[in-house]
Amino acid sequence: KYEKMIFDIIYKEPRHLTAEDIYRELKELEPKVVLASVYNNLKVLHEKRLIHKVTVEGMPDRYDSIERHDHVVCTKCGDLYDFKFKDITHELEEKLGISISGYELNVNYICPSCKKSLSTN
């Protein structure tokens, strides 16, 4: 029942939403929704390859469109930004001698705001 609504929330939102973020947005439209329904629908959408799950160590999973892109992630606060690097699938296949169905690239850094707070401590 909620699959299409969750899909639409993910694709309209430029931020990378957690399941809890999606739940809060969906709850405004469907007050009777429960968090378990959001998790179940996210799992189905991910298995159907309609959405991308972004996993960053120590942070809650976030959800994103399946459009090919990479991420720049602050290792302190977890802020996550989309970034499009050149697709290196072909280069990887040539060097490794295998067929690659896809890859995920997260570039870690410390954002200016976290860097500032580190230098003031």
Side-chain angles (χ1 to χ4, degrees):
K1 173 182 177 178
Y2 301 118
E3 192 174 310
K4 172 77 168 104
M5 295 172 83
I6 290 170
F7 176 88
D8 290 343
I9 288 169
I10 292 168
Y11 274 78
K12 80 169 176 56
E13 181 62 49
R15 296 179 304 128
H16 300 80
L17 302 174
T18 64
E20 289 78 12
D21 294 331
I22 294 165
Y23 168 71
R24 282 191 291 278
E25 286 199 32
L26 186 58
K27 189 114 177 124
E28 290 179 17
L29 305 169
E30 293 287 333
K32 293 184 180 187
V33 69
V34 295
L35 186 56
S37 293
V38 172
Y39 276 105
N40 291 336
N41 281 278
L42 286 169
K43 183 178 187 244
V44 169
L45 287 165
H46 184 253
E47 286 171 351
K48 289 181 177 180
R49 297 178 188 244
L50 296 173
I51 62 171
H52 180 69
K53 179 166 61 172
V54 181
T55 302
V56 176
E57 187 177 335
M59 305 288 171
D61 289 335
R62 291 181 246 177
Y63 298 88
D64 200 359
S65 73
I66 58 169
E67 177 189 353
R68 168 80 194 100
H69 64 278
D70 304 294
H71 297 103
V72 178
V73 183
C74 177
T75 56
K76 296 293 179 195
C77 69
D79 272 352
L80 183 78
Y81 301 97
D82 289 343
F83 196 88
K84 288 192 178 190
F85 292 104
K86 181 184 122 199
D87 187 344
I88 58 172
T89 301
H90 181 70
E91 185 178 342
L92 287 169
E93 288 176 334
E94 279 187 354
K95 288 189 180 200
L96 299 173
I98 57 175
S99 178
I100 297 199
S101 60
Y103 66 92
E104 291 182 38
L105 178 63
N106 289 342
V107 175
N108 298 321
Y109 81 120
I110 298 176
C111 74
S113 151
C114 288
K115 196 176 278 190
K116 183 178 178 182
S117 71
L118 287 172
S119 66
T120 59
N121 291 334

